[in-house]
Amino acid sequence: MKLDFNFILRNLPTFLEGAVVTLELSALAILCSLVWGLVVVTARTAPSRALALAATGYIELVRNTPVLVQMLFIYFGSAVLGAPLSGFAAGLLAMTLQNGGYMAEIYRAGIEAVSQRQVEAGMALGMRRHEVMSIVVLPQAIRKVVPPFTNQAIVMIKDTSLVSSISVAEMTFHAKLLTDRTAAAYEVFLTLAALYLAINAIVSAALRLLERRVAIPT
Amino acid sequence: MVAVRGVSKWFGAHQVLKDVSLDVAAGEVVAVIGPSGSGKTTLLRCVNLLEDFQQGEIRVDGEAVGYAGAGAARRRLPERVIARTRSQVGMVFQSFNLFPHMTVLKNVMVAPVRVKKMPEAEARASAVRLLERVGLADKLDAYPARLSGGQQQRVAIARALAMQPKVILLDEITSALDPELVGEVLAVIRQLARDGMTMMIVTHEMQFAREVAQKVVFMDGGAMIEQGPPRALFADPRTERLQTFLKRFREGYQL
Amino acid sequence: MLNVLLANLPLLLKGAVVTLYLSAASAALAAVIGVAVALLQLYGDPVTRAATHVYLYVMRGVPLLVLLFAMYYMLPYTGIDVGATAGGIIVIALYFGAFMAEVFRAAILSVPRGQWDAARALGMYGRLLMLIVVVPQALRIAGPPFVNTCIMLVKGTSLVSIVGLWEVTMAGRQIVERTLAPFQVFGGVAAVYFVICYCLSRYGRWLEKRVSYVH
Ligand SMILES: Nc1ncnc2c1ncn2[C@@H]1O[C@H](COP(=O)(O)OP(=O)(O)OP(=O)(O)O)[C@@H](O)[C@H]1O
Ligand SMILES: [Mg+2]
């Protein structure tokens, strides 16, 4: 097997064009899920039983169905409704819906990891409820949340490749097009894999750094 | 039966055993005492090579444990050989370490059957006999999680005995027990001593050490400081370190 | 409204059966790969350890879809012909095998030290020790996270529809092309996955409760 490096170099701009879309979608999806996850976890832990039940049902639903099917549902569904979403928007929406469910569970585990005794200790010091939350609970919860969040972020970056099937011109889409046109499968897929590895390496290194920043010194 | 000669061990740069030598004759009970961190556990674990040691030699019934050759030619024996030595040395741990996924009977049978290749029926009969001997004939089919600490420890003793070991190593086997359960375990050990079992016992129960041991070994800071018959050693400690150690005990307990 | 779904139910169910088959086959293979890689990673020589490291790194960093594409585009050049379905199963198994390796590795490492000590003290070593003492306990610990990985795997099988394999998602796409009823049809497809995955997740939770015996 001989790799044609010139081919790779020649087509690098195409890859990078796709990479920009991949990164855009990843960043947006991660941000939106972080926020949507907060909404879901608020409902999930709400005093209202109906609300909590609805949130639980929602979480079970999005976590137990493939994000690809959710994308197809939204993409083709919106077209039938007469308000067609772009592939990008449908992908973003599906990823947000699914990963918001995952994030909600990650948040919940974080909050539950802070023991009731910590809350009582805060109260005993004369803090008010919101102060206990912001001074005692959240800083500890964040430390529990960062590692699983890192995992989820990587999962999401990889999942952005799925929107290639609803005609979003991100990295995988371009790669597939290029292979169909040139039959240089080795070059194309090695480059593609390398790019994903690089993106994930950078993102996880950055999040590892954050992990270390927030870690409790031992 | 056990001969420890000039054994030294390091954890990294930290020396935890310093040129330790001692003998355990066949049928003898030797108690090892000493303050926390003095290396008692480590010494015991060296005798069946659960820990490597870097210098010196240990023999069980004349056979070298773990290493062959000396000096530059010293090399670790193959795992198969070490395992065979271990199968002749019983060990009972502070935290019982029963296999939680096996019944009491299976815990006692598994090593004779799988390691010694003893026929199943024979192993079962011997396991039942041993469990009767430690007073657990009615718990054969129970899982360890259902037993009290004292019962678990007695199963662990039966499990060690099932291999018909030449010597048994016991590491603070009552330390993890509620006070009211200590007696039932010590009673089993007393009986074993009377039956002539060779034992090395690490213990903080001075009264018990004095009663069952023919020899007491005092360790401090990784070194063997003093050894002798319990009566002499407790009544007339020669070194200052042992005096201090015993004094602390007398203040704490009634000795 | 639901007429479309009812009319096409046989086809969807046929797709569901294929999805189940793909899932079961690749999960079984992934489990084998996972156990093997975990053991190599923990007890292999430095070279195999390095190799498993590379494998895990690639599987964690490259999307499953890209691996599937690579398989279908690159394999023809190598002259290896395993067939599309087997190819899909192998790629899925390799991908999720990496996650299972992590599950099993963590499980083996969480068997308490004292269990190893006790087994060694009884004269066990090597394969016997692993087989009798470590693996049975590790499997119980690994149960719940293993089931979770299986849920990911079942969902992951939907990706083979993108590379042209026929299973329930592909069946859905075909029906939608004919009927233009995406809500009903993809709703039905989602329901198929939901039933499989929800049952698995209940099973996982049940295992979790049962597993927690005291050491
Ligand atoms: N795995 C290890 N790594 C590094 N140091 C160790 C290890 N195990 C024991 N040590 C050190 O070796 C020394 C002796 O420990 P050991 O457990 O043998 O003492 P001990 O006499 O049994 O104490 P105790 O009465 O508390 O059980 C201690 O200083 C301990 O910190
Ligand atoms: Mg100790």
Side-chain angles (χ1 to χ4, degrees):
Chain A
M1 180 175 88
K2 224 171 133 276
L3 285 180
D4 182 355
F5 284 102
N6 273 328
F7 174 89
I8 295 176
L9 278 181
R10 230 174 22 250
N11 289 290
L12 209 51
T14 314
F15 278 112
L16 294 182
E17 207 178 295
V20 171
V21 180
T22 294
L23 287 174
E24 267 173 18
L25 182 56
S26 303
L28 280 173
I30 290 171
L31 278 178
C32 292
S33 318
L34 280 173
V35 176
W36 180 234
L38 275 181
V39 176
V40 177
V41 77
T42 309
R44 173 72 181 76
T45 55
S48 150
R49 282 199 45 151
L51 202 55
L53 206 67
T56 308
Y58 169 81
I59 291 170
E60 293 290 354
L61 189 67
V62 292
R63 292 206 315 174
N64 287 312
T65 50
V67 71
L68 175 63
V69 175
Q70 293 166 16
M71 282 178 190
L72 297 174
F73 186 90
I74 293 168
Y75 184 66
F76 291 106
S78 66
V80 174
L81 285 183
L85 288 175
S86 69
F88 190 94
L92 177 59
L93 186 53
M95 288 180 69
T96 302
L97 288 175
Q98 174 161 84
N99 290 286
Y102 279 107
M103 281 313 302
E105 289 297 275
I106 292 175
Y107 289 138
R108 197 163 66 95
I111 294 167
E112 279 173 2
V114 183
S115 72
Q116 191 57 33
R117 261 172 294 166
Q118 290 280 313
V119 175
E120 283 162 11
M123 300 257 198
L125 289 171
M127 294 181 195
R128 292 203 245 135
R129 260 203 84 77
H130 70 274
E131 287 172 325
V132 169
M133 206 58 191
S134 64
I135 300 175
V136 179
V137 177
L138 283 183
Q140 293 189 58
I142 283 174
R143 300 184 159 105
K144 295 274 189 234
V145 163
V146 174
F149 165 70
T150 305
N151 283 338
Q152 205 54 35
I154 302 295
V155 168
M156 291 176 80
I157 292 171
K158 293 198 284 182
D159 275 353
T160 59
S161 64
L162 300 188
V163 296
S164 65
S165 72
I166 45 178
S167 53
V168 177
E170 45 67 80
M171 282 205 302
T172 305
F173 184 87
H174 278 297
K176 198 167 159 289
L177 223 59
L178 214 54
T179 333
D180 287 337
R181 261 207 336 262
T182 63
Y186 283 110
E187 285 81 357
V188 170
F189 281 108
L190 285 179
T191 312
L192 182 63
L195 284 170
Y196 275 111
L197 283 174
I199 292 174
N200 284 330
I202 292 168
V203 170
S204 53
L207 289 171
R208 241 356 83 62
L209 219 65
L210 176 68
E211 234 166 89
R212 217 164 305 145
R213 280 286 304 270
V214 301
I216 297 172
T218 48
Chain B
M1 182 61 71
V2 180
V4 178
R5 291 280 170 274
V7 165
S8 291
K9 171 175 178 65
W10 286 261
F11 278 118
H14 176 41
Q15 185 169 10
V16 292
L17 289 181
K18 295 172 184 158
D19 196 20
V20 175
S21 297
L22 69 90
D23 284 284
V24 185
E28 191 177 37
V29 177
V30 171
V32 183
I33 62 171
S36 185
S38 56
K40 307 179 297 290
T41 296
T42 309
L43 174 65
L44 226 52
R45 289 169 63 89
C46 283
V47 173
N48 63 359
L49 216 76
L50 287 181
E51 301 283 357
D52 293 340
F53 52 94
Q54 285 81 25
Q55 263 173 32
E57 125 183 315
I58 298 179
R59 286 179 179 278
V60 171
D61 201 15
E63 266 182 78
V65 175
Y67 303 91
R74 184 179 196 263
R75 63 188 167 79
R76 205 171 191 273
L77 293 167
E79 204 56 30
R80 178 177 46 82
V81 178
I82 292 172
R84 219 197 52 222
T85 313
R86 286 193 187 122
S87 70
Q88 299 168 359
V89 178
M91 186 159 202
V92 183
F93 302 85
Q94 184 175 346
S95 50
F96 329 136
N97 299 349
L98 292 180
F99 303 131
H101 57 300
M102 298 178 189
T103 61
V104 164
L105 183 65
K106 191 80 199 302
N107 260 283
V108 181
M109 282 173 62
V110 66
V113 172
R114 304 304 292 266
V115 177
K116 277 182 118 180
K117 314 282 179 221
M118 190 187 279
E120 184 109 11
E122 192 184 324
R124 177 183 302 268
S126 127
V128 171
R129 223 176 316 114
L130 284 166
L131 285 165
E132 272 167 8
R133 200 163 137 197
V134 298
L136 289 170
D138 55 335
K139 299 288 184 195
L140 300 184
D141 296 318
Y143 281 86
R146 294 243 169 268
L147 303 183
S148 75
Q151 292 171 329
Q152 289 192 49
Q153 196 58 297
R154 284 184 280 151
V155 175
I157 294 167
R159 180 174 69 174
L161 289 172
M163 293 296 281
Q164 297 163 321
K166 294 173 174 164
V167 51
I168 297 191
L169 315 171
L170 306 111
D171 187 8
E172 292 192 31
I173 59 168
T174 57
S175 297
L177 298 179
D178 293 337
E180 72 270 22
L181 301 178
V182 169
E184 63 188 54
V185 173
L186 292 187
V188 171
I189 303 302
R190 253 180 227 119
Q191 187 55 47
L192 280 178
R194 247 174 267 140
D195 296 346
M197 188 78 216
T198 312
M199 291 188 275
M200 258 178 100
I201 304 180
V202 170
T203 183
H204 283 152
E205 312 264 346
M206 293 304 144
Q207 183 56 45
F208 177 68
R210 182 206 292 262
E211 179 193 330
V212 300
Q214 278 91 55
K215 180 155 85 188
V216 174
V217 173
F218 172 65
M219 288 184 70
D220 194 5
M224 210 276 296
I225 306 292
E226 205 171 314
Q227 56 174 311
R231 229 154 256 296
L233 198 98
F234 286 128
D236 178 26
R238 272 162 292 155
T239 58
E240 204 189 314
R241 275 155 132 187
L242 180 53
Q243 284 165 12
T244 324
F245 177 73
L246 289 177
K247 190 155 156 273
R248 208 167 298 153
F249 256 92
R250 288 212 181 85
E251 280 157 7
Y253 309 83
Q254 210 58 43
L255 191 78
Chain C
M1 266 297 267
L2 286 175
N3 280 348
V4 180
L5 197 54
L6 279 179
N8 290 289
L9 204 56
L11 201 58
L12 271 187
L13 288 180
K14 233 174 110 190
V17 171
V18 178
T19 290
L20 269 176
Y21 163 71
L22 285 175
S23 302
S26 43
L29 191 54
V32 173
I33 294 172
V35 171
V37 170
L39 290 175
L40 287 177
Q41 209 187 352
L42 286 170
Y43 308 110
D45 56 80
V47 180
T48 39
R49 277 226 290 269
T52 57
H53 221 83
V54 172
Y55 160 72
L56 293 174
Y57 190 77
V58 171
M59 293 300 146
R60 281 188 205 133
V62 178
L64 174 57
L65 182 60
V66 172
L67 295 172
L68 285 166
F69 274 136
M71 158 97 181
Y72 284 105
Y73 280 95
M74 279 159 56
L75 222 51
Y77 294 94
T78 62
I80 304 169
D81 184 16
V82 290
T85 305
I89 289 172
I90 291 170
V91 171
I92 292 171
L94 282 171
Y95 182 79
F96 288 101
F99 294 87
M100 294 194 176
E102 191 48 45
V103 167
F104 292 126
R105 196 181 73 98
I108 289 172
L109 288 178
S110 62
V111 173
R113 198 74 243 145
Q115 292 292 310
W116 296 78
D117 283 349
R120 287 212 181 94
L122 290 166
M124 299 181 195
Y125 69 102
R127 210 167 306 162
L128 184 70
L129 187 157
M130 290 303 283
L131 212 69
I132 294 183
V133 176
V134 178
V135 170
Q137 295 186 59
L139 283 182
R140 274 176 219 215
I141 299 168
F146 173 78
V147 172
N148 276 337
T149 311
C150 285
I151 293 174
M152 283 168 37
L153 181 146
V154 171
K155 294 192 290 175
T157 59
S158 65
L159 270 57
V160 300
S161 66
I162 302 178
V163 295
L165 279 186
W166 195 85
E167 39 65 81
V168 71
T169 304
M170 184 62 132
R173 293 190 76 147
Q174 288 173 343
I175 299 168
V176 167
E177 262 168 46
R178 265 193 293 111
T179 61
L180 301 180
F183 287 125
Q184 295 91 314
V185 175
F186 285 131
V189 172
V192 167
Y193 286 106
F194 184 82
V195 168
I196 302 172
C197 295
Y198 190 71
C199 289
L200 278 173
S201 87
R202 299 306 309 196
Y203 176 59
R205 252 169 260 174
W206 179 78
L207 275 182
E208 209 160 326
K209 283 219 193 80
R210 212 199 50 154
V211 143
S212 46
Y213 53 40
V214 213
H215 269 291

